[in-house]
Amino acid sequence: IALSGTGTQGNLTITPTTVPFGNQTVGTTSPATTVTLANTGSASLDVTALTAATAPFARAGGTCATTLPITLAAGANCTLTYTFAPTAAGATNQ
């Protein structure tokens, strides 16, 4: 996931910064894993770019808007959920 944002005093944090899906059987889909975007700054900020997950990873939902920009007020947060559905054996990163 790659993100960029703008905001005068906004501060975007992403938790966790990596998502380990662990071992997943080929042909099955993992349970959804959540990533939280939070604005710990004192002003609103807009997430203006979000690199989409590509197969075998997929965005599965969450509370963040589905279109950009994703606007986060000061102190607000939202979530993105992702799944992993491998089509071949072996390690995979995105």
Side-chain angles (χ1 to χ4, degrees):
I1 304 168
L3 301 166
S4 65
T6 60
T8 306
Q9 298 292 320
N11 183 46
L12 180 64
T13 62
I14 305 165
T15 309
T17 56
T18 61
V19 179
F21 285 97
N23 293 331
Q24 183 67 33
T25 303
V26 172
T28 64
T29 301
S30 72
T33 300
T34 300
V35 175
T36 301
L37 307 182
N39 179 2
T40 60
S42 59
S44 177
L45 76 87
D46 292 328
V47 176
T48 57
L50 175 65
T51 301
T54 58
F57 302 95
R59 183 172 173 188
T63 62
C64 293
T66 57
T67 58
L68 295 174
I70 297 170
T71 301
L72 291 172
N77 65 63
C78 67
T79 60
L80 300 167
T81 56
Y82 292 92
T83 59
F84 173 52
T87 57
T92 303
N93 292 310
Q94 180 164 347

